[in-house]
């Protein structure tokens, strides 16, 4: 199926977001006075996956190695520009106030960065006229054919892979060491802006090199998950309240105490 698309500049996609950013983009966002959250998830990683396990290899590229007690794990950290309502850069005329420096994800939308998610126009904020057949071809036979968008997606995936060491170091500087069990939720850390800037700069200057495998705790809001984690020697944290002392737990399932 072909998908045609052209942005109508309606501004609908610039509201209520957690925009994923590269480390360099997060620094720019913070230095402009924005807020950046650290969304952390832990993937148990007892063995290295086969080369042809494309989903696992994708997760591996965008994560760093860690341990949680006796459990080997990989930690995915997404730096997200978070805002409720309109983006702080959205102008009254619905144009972007930082258009030439806007994050890569804003340039890619409505295409998907995740290679395992198919673009579905029904799930996008764009109005019907943005998708009409007279617009430029964006996607054909499940592939992005717009050259600029395809290049931006590749750039974004490369940054995702290159930034893992810097993210690990930044978390260490900030004392962030708890991630939600993958597929069950997210641990959302919101360090003060100045501390985030300092940590990300230090991590960037260090070249993202880590001296040892860091120790992380694994959080869940489900008692049975924590019991299982503890039974295999992992450091489990039961989050019965959404807000904990140091992070917010966003669960995908109902809590069980
Ligand atoms: S940075 Fe610009 S394009 Fe991106 S969400 Fe904000 S206003 Fe929209
Ligand atoms: S919702 Fe779609 S059409 Fe509207 S500004 Fe965003 S990308 Fe453009």
């Amino acid at each position: 199926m072909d998908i045609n698309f052209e942005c109508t500049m309606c501004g609908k996609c610039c509201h209520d977001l957690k925009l994923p950013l590269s480390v360099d983009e997060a620094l720019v966002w913070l230095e402009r006075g924005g807020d950046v959250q650290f969304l952390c998830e832990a993937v148990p990683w007892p063995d290295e996956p086969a080369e042809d396990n494309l989903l696992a290899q994708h997760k591996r590229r965008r994560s760093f190695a860690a341990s949680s007690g006796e459990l080997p794990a990989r930690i995915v950290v997404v730096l997200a520009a978070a805002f409720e309502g309109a983006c702080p850069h959205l102008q009254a005329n619905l144009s972007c106030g930082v258009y030439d420096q806007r994050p890569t994800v804003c340039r890619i939308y409505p295409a998907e960065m995740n290679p395992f998610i198919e673009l579905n126009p029904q799930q996008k904020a764009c109005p019907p006229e943005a998708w009409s057949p007279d617009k430029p071809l964006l996607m054909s036979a499940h592939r992005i054919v717009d050259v600029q968008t395809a290049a931006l997606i590749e750039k974004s995936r490369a940054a995702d892979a290159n930034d893992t060491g810097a993210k690990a170091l930044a978390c260490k500087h900030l004392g962030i060491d708890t991630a939600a069990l993958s597929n069950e939720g997210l641990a959302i850390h919101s360090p003060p802006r100045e501390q985030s800037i300092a940590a990300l700069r230090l991590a960037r200057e260090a070249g993202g090199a880590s001296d040892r495998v860091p120790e992380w705790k694994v959080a869940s809001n489900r008692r049975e998950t924590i019991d299982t984690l503890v039974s295999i020697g992992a450091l489990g944290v039961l989050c019965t309240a959404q807000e904990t002392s140091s992070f917010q737990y966003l669960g995908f399932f109902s809590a069980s105490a």
Side-chain angles (χ1 to χ4, degrees):
M1 186 183 76
D2 288 350
I3 297 179
N4 301 69
F5 175 78
E6 188 170 63
C7 178
T8 65
M9 308 288 279
C10 71
K12 282 188 190 152
C13 60
C14 303
H15 292 77
D16 302 308
L17 295 175
K18 290 189 190 298
L19 280 179
L21 305 173
S22 69
V23 168
D24 290 341
E25 288 174 337
L27 275 166
V28 170
W29 193 272
L30 287 159
E31 285 161 356
R32 280 200 194 106
D35 294 318
V36 169
Q37 296 176 332
F38 289 62
L39 316 183
C40 303
E41 59 178 310
V43 187
W45 208 260
D47 300 302
E48 286 301 326
E51 283 296 315
D52 61 357
N53 186 340
L54 299 182
L55 179 58
Q57 293 295 345
H58 172 68
K59 284 185 183 170
R60 191 183 197 291
R61 270 193 298 279
R62 56 195 307 266
S63 61
F64 56 86
S67 60
S68 180
E70 295 165 32
L71 177 71
R74 292 196 72 89
I75 308 296
V76 181
V77 175
V78 174
L79 303 178
F83 46 87
E84 291 176 4
C87 171
H89 300 304
L90 189 65
Q91 306 296 290
N93 66 358
L94 300 182
S95 66
C96 173
V98 293
Y99 189 79
D100 289 338
Q101 294 91 38
R102 68 198 190 287
T104 307
V105 66
C106 301
R107 299 163 192 257
I108 289 172
Y109 191 89
E112 299 286 356
M113 288 202 287
N114 186 328
F116 297 95
I117 299 178
E118 183 96 8
L119 169 59
N120 181 353
Q122 311 295 328
Q123 293 177 349
K124 299 293 176 179
C126 314
E129 57 270 28
W131 308 97
S132 66
D134 61 324
K135 303 299 185 200
L137 189 61
L138 174 65
M139 197 163 187
S140 183
H142 307 288
R143 293 181 69 86
I144 297 289
V145 293
D146 177 79
V147 174
Q148 201 176 10
T149 306
L152 285 169
I153 291 171
E154 283 312 308
K155 179 183 164 197
S156 167
R157 289 179 189 159
D160 218 12
N162 290 338
D163 280 350
T164 55
K167 289 176 182 175
L169 272 183
C171 287
K172 183 178 164 189
H173 291 316
L174 290 164
I176 294 174
D177 65 355
T178 307
L181 183 65
S182 185
N183 298 325
E184 283 203 2
L186 289 170
I188 302 176
H189 301 261
S190 305
R193 185 177 303 129
E194 292 306 322
Q195 288 180 25
S196 294
I197 292 174
L200 288 168
R201 279 193 189 142
L202 273 174
R204 183 49 93 220
E205 283 159 17
S210 186
D211 45 357
R212 63 180 184 83
V213 173
E215 185 82 60
W216 278 63
K217 299 190 262 303
V218 183
S220 172
N221 62 351
R222 301 203 293 181
R223 165 61 70 189
E224 56 271 34
T225 297
I226 296 300
D227 289 346
T228 303
L229 286 167
V230 170
S231 74
I232 57 175
L235 309 176
V237 178
L238 182 62
C239 300
T240 46
Q242 204 185 42
E243 297 279 350
T244 72
S245 55
S246 63
F247 65 93
Q248 179 193 2
Y249 182 83
L250 176 65
F252 302 157
F253 303 100
S254 310
S256 63

